[in-house]
Amino acid sequence: MDGERKKKILIVEDEKTISEILHYTITREGYEAVCAFDGLSALDLALEGNFDLILLDVMLPGLDGFEVCRRVREKLDTPIIMLTAREEEADKVFGLELGADDYMTKPFSHAELISRIKANIRRYHGENRTSSASKEPADDSVISINGLVINTKKYSVSKNGTEISLSKKEYDLVEFFAKNRGTVFQREEIMEKVWGYDGFYGDLRTVDVTLARIRKKIEENPAEPEYIQNKRGVGYFMS
Ligand code: CA
C-alpha cells in the first residue's frame, strides 16, 4: 500500500465517545477517517465519498444501520462491517443478509478492529486475488462445474447461461471453492482464506450465513445443495 493514496474509512456511530475512539484508532493506523452520526448523513456520505470501507453501527437515529447497509448495497460494493451492540444472533444474520461483509460485536479490541479493516480492504482491492491468480495458468480463467460457470477474469458467475448476482464476498467464496474443488475446508480456514483474517477469526457463523445466501442464489434446492456441500462436523466443500 506504500505510495498509494490513504485509504478512506467512513465511521457511522452516533455515540460520540465511541466515534472518537474509533476515529483515533483508525487515523493512528494511517487511514483517513470521516465520521457520520446519523443514518441519513451516513447514507449520503457513503454514496458520495468514495470510501474504501464503512464501519456501520446498527442503532442509529434516522435510518438504522440495516437500512443504510441495504441502500448502500443497491449502488456500491464497498466493504461494510456492521457494529452491533448486542449479542443477538438475529442482528448479525440480518446484516449479512443485507450484504454487509462482516460484523463486530461491541466491545472489541483495537487490534481486532484494525485487523478486520485491513483484511476487508485488502480483499476489496483484490490484493489476495491478484497474488493467488498469478499462480494460476493464464487460460484458467473460466471454471465450469455442472452448469455453473465462474469467470475469474470478469468476476462473474452464471448458471445455465443466466448471470447470477453475487456480492463481492459471495463471489470470493464461490471462486475459492471452485478453485479447490473436492477439498473440505473448516470454517476457520475459510475465514482465513476468503475473509483474509489471520489470527483473529470473526464469528464463524459469518461463513454459514454467507453460504446460505449463496445457496439461495445458485442451488435448485438450497436445502439439498448440489454445489457447495457440508461435510458434517468438518466443514464445507464443492463437489
Ligand atoms: Ca448507536
Side-chain angles (χ1 to χ4, degrees):
M1 259 181 251
D2 295 334
E4 290 177 22
R5 68 167 177 87
K6 271 190 182 183
K7 297 285 186 277
K8 227 168 113 182
I9 296 172
L10 177 61
I11 301 166
V12 186
E13 168 64 74
D14 59 318
E15 283 167 64
K16 293 261 165 30
T17 359
I18 300 180
S19 174
E20 276 168 19
I21 294 168
L22 290 172
H23 186 273
Y24 172 77
T25 309
I26 286 168
T27 49
R28 195 183 50 179
E29 280 295 315
Y31 296 104
E32 192 182 331
V34 175
C35 295
F37 302 96
D38 67 86
L40 275 173
S41 46
L43 183 63
D44 286 345
L45 277 166
L47 296 179
E48 302 297 326
N50 192 25
F51 289 95
D52 296 285
L53 183 131
I54 300 167
L55 289 178
L56 183 54
D57 184 31
V58 172
M59 302 297 281
L60 292 168
L63 302 177
D64 69 17
F66 293 133
E67 188 57 20
V68 173
C69 178
R70 195 182 65 75
R71 295 201 199 173
V72 170
R73 269 294 166 271
E74 286 174 357
K75 304 240 165 75
L76 302 172
D77 62 358
T78 313
I80 297 175
I81 302 178
M82 306 285 306
L83 307 178
T84 66
R86 295 164 291 178
E87 264 294 355
E88 281 178 22
E89 210 60 27
D91 269 14
K92 303 167 179 178
V93 172
F94 193 46
L96 294 172
E97 279 175 353
L98 291 172
D101 293 83
D102 200 4
Y103 56 83
M104 298 185 72
T105 306
K106 296 182 232 176
F108 40 76
S109 76
H110 295 176
E112 178 164 16
L113 174 71
I114 295 302
S115 167
R116 301 252 200 135
I117 288 174
K118 278 185 183 157
N120 276 284
I121 290 182
R122 196 165 57 225
R123 295 297 305 182
Y124 184 51
H125 290 286
E127 290 181 15
N128 285 4
R129 168 173 296 154
T130 313
S131 60
S132 68
S134 60
K135 291 176 209 140
E136 312 280 335
D139 59 353
D140 202 22
S141 62
V142 175
I143 305 168
S144 181
I145 299 165
N146 302 333
L148 195 70
V149 175
I150 298 122
N151 188 319
T152 63
K153 284 224 170 74
K154 292 183 181 162
Y155 310 121
S156 70
V157 174
S158 60
K159 191 182 169 190
N160 302 325
T162 306
E163 177 138 357
I164 295 169
S165 169
L166 296 176
S167 74
K168 175 92 172 41
K169 195 66 71 191
E170 290 164 357
Y171 172 81
D172 288 344
L173 203 49
V174 171
E175 185 192 289
F176 170 73
F177 277 110
K179 282 186 168 169
N180 296 284
R181 229 181 135 179
T183 308
V184 180
F185 292 96
Q186 296 178 13
R187 293 184 301 169
E188 288 86 347
E189 291 177 276
I190 296 168
M191 274 251 126
E192 191 178 319
K193 301 221 160 82
V194 179
W195 272 258
Y197 296 161
D198 36 335
F200 292 101
Y201 296 120
D203 189 321
L204 294 174
R205 292 250 325 170
T206 305
V207 175
D208 304 326
V209 172
T210 309
L211 272 170
R213 263 166 40 211
I214 293 171
R215 282 173 170 165
K216 276 191 206 157
K217 295 180 179 183
I218 67 171
E219 300 284 356
E220 229 33 77
N221 178 2
E224 287 175 30
E226 81 177 282
Y227 295 108
I228 299 174
Q229 309 206 7
N230 295 29
K231 178 89 178 167
R232 235 165 257 297
V234 187
Y236 295 98
F237 67 103
M238 188 169 247
S239 58

